[in-house]
Each structure stands twice: as structure tokens, then as C-alpha cells.
């Protein structure tokens, strides 16, 4: 079996980046968790501990029944953001997922709130979750970047990302999370170019 066929038949690993624990649940830094939570709801799955990997996973399918649907593993590392690479790498090895079938969903400071950007590979732009993933397995994975904007005034970046979305932001948050989940599904089912043309804004 050639590499292309193997990748086409392999499952996808969609990783939401965030920090575990209720105190972080509504933080800007946890929007990746929010998106994979919604994707799990759509598949009807419930998160469970993933064997020896320090993560919670849902195994399911997205898309229509049959060969055009795709098997996906939705994952939330439970290691805290700056150690995400270890759990993701363990899941990649366990499920035999090629790098091109890995998607990281994460917050992005340099994009306006609610704006999406999808890409393959690239740098980490100072994001500790991406930095850890890239160190563990290289940079050749997909990213769904969810804009959170820059901190106001003199607020430190670390303080900003670890604060909850503001009341004004929360009014639109469900819509933006829903759109990001749609973008992930489009990426998995139709490829990066189609997803970029539909969701990059």
C-alpha cells in the first residue's frame, strides 16, 4: 500500500488545545477544547480516558455514512497547554495517524476575535501548545486558528489568554465555535484548499 492510500484510509486526529480543570473552562486559551467538545456532541460520543496517553478522547465518524465519511479521534490533552506534545504524540502512535491527518485547534492572538485561519505547517507564533506539539513530532500538521485578538492596553499576554471571554464576546462565542467546528469538518472531508476558501476570512 502506498503512502497516499495509507493516509487516505487512516483516521484523523483532531486535537483541541487547552488546560484541564473547571477554572480554565471558559478561558480564551481553551477555545480549542470548546470546539472539540462541540464536535464530540455532533458525533454523539462521550470523552473517556485514552489508555496510557494523558488525554481524553472520543472516537467517531464525521460526514455521511459509508466510504465518504471519515473516522476521527477527537482529543483533549490533560497535561496542561505547554506539555500538549507528549499526549498528542502518544495518540498519534497508538492510532497510527500520519502527520497530514492531524489537526490542532487553538486560540490565535494575531487574528481578530472570531476570525478563522486554516493552514498546514508553519511556526508556533509563541503559542506554547503548538510549540510543544512541534517539538514532539515536527510542524507538518494542520492548524485551525481561532482569533482571540490582542490584549487591551498594557495587559500581559499570559493574563489575557487565561481570562474568560468577556460578556460581549460571549454573545457571539457559540456562533464562532460552531463555525470553527464546521471548518474542521470541511477540512477533514473536503481538504485544506476547500476549507480555506470557505472559512478563511
Amino acid at each position: 500500500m502506498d503512502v497516499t492510500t495509507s493516509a487516505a484510509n487512516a483516521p484523523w486526529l483532531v486535537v483541541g488545545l487547552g488546560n484541564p480543570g473547571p477554572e480554565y473552562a471558559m478561558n480564551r486559551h481553551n477555545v480549542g477544547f470548546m470546539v472539540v467538545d462541540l464536535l464530540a456532541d455532533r458525533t454523539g460520543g462521550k470523552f473517556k480516558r485514552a489508555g496510557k496517553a494523558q488525554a481524553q478522547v472520543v472516537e467517531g465518524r464525521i460526514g455521511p455514512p459509508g466510504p465518504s465519511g471519515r473516522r476521527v479521534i477527537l482529543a483533549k490533552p490533560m497535561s496542561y497547554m505547554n506539555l500538549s506534545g507528549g499526549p498528542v504524540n502518544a495518540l498519534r502512535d497508538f492510532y497510527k495517524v500520519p502527520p497530514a491527518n492531524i489537526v490542532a485547534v487553538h486560540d490565535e492572538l494575531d487574528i481578530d476575535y472570531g476570525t478563522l485561519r486554516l493552514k498546514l505547517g508553519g511556526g508556533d507564533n509563541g503559542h506554547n501548545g503548538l510549540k510543544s506539539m512541534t517539538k514532539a513530532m515536527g510542524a507538518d500538521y494542520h492548524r485551525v486558528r481561532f482569533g482571540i485578538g490582542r490584549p487591551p492596553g498594557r495587559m500581559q499576554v499570559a493574563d489575557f489568554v487565561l481570562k474568560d471571554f468577556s460578556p460581549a464576546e460571549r454573545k457571539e462565542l457559540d456562533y464562532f465555535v460552531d463555525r470553527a467546528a464546521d471548518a474542521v469538518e470541511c477540512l477533514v472531508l473536503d481538504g485544506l484548499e476547500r476549507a480555506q476558501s470557505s472559512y478563511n476570512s
Side-chain angles (χ1 to χ4, degrees):
M1 185 186 298
D2 65 30
V3 173
T4 305
T5 304
S6 177
N9 292 333
W12 283 74
L13 176 59
V14 179
V15 180
L17 294 179
N19 289 307
E23 67 271 33
Y24 299 106
M26 289 303 297
N27 286 181
R28 294 182 178 91
H29 223 18
N30 268 44
V31 73
F33 275 18
M34 298 175 198
V35 174
V36 295
D37 280 341
L38 178 56
L39 287 165
D41 286 345
R42 291 180 179 183
T43 67
K46 298 290 185 187
F47 280 97
K48 62 182 181 182
R49 203 76 180 183
K52 294 181 180 179
Q54 200 175 357
Q56 291 185 350
V57 298
V58 167
E59 297 180 48
R61 297 186 72 84
I62 62 173
S68 54
R70 293 285 184 271
R71 182 178 171 225
V72 294
I73 296 95
L74 306 170
K76 296 190 293 186
M78 294 286 111
S79 56
Y80 291 97
M81 182 69 83
N82 62 347
L83 298 173
S84 300
V88 176
N89 204 34
L91 293 171
R92 179 193 71 161
D93 290 347
F94 180 78
Y95 289 104
K96 298 179 172 53
V97 180
N101 284 23
I102 298 173
V103 184
V105 186
H106 63 92
D107 57 304
E108 178 62 61
L109 285 160
D110 288 336
I111 303 175
D112 289 341
Y113 174 60
T115 300
L116 297 177
R117 293 277 193 281
L118 287 78
K119 69 174 187 174
L120 174 63
D124 57 59
N125 201 24
H127 192 287
N128 288 331
L130 297 180
K131 191 177 299 183
S132 180
M133 283 183 61
T134 297
K135 183 178 180 181
M137 59 187 193
D140 295 330
Y141 54 90
H142 289 90
R143 297 101 189 276
V144 174
R145 305 157 69 202
F146 186 111
I148 60 170
R150 301 293 305 185
R154 297 174 180 272
M155 184 184 292
Q156 295 296 310
V157 165
D159 294 333
F160 179 69
V161 299
L162 292 175
K163 284 190 180 298
D164 289 357
F165 284 101
S166 71
E169 288 170 333
R170 284 202 293 272
K171 290 178 182 177
E172 296 182 292
L173 183 60
D174 287 348
Y175 168 77
F176 289 139
V177 168
D178 190 72
R179 190 166 184 271
D182 290 346
V184 172
E185 291 184 344
C186 184
L187 170 61
V188 170
L189 293 170
D190 301 321
L192 178 61
E193 189 174 333
R194 175 73 176 273
Q196 286 175 324
S197 67
S198 298
Y199 293 96
N200 277 15
S201 52

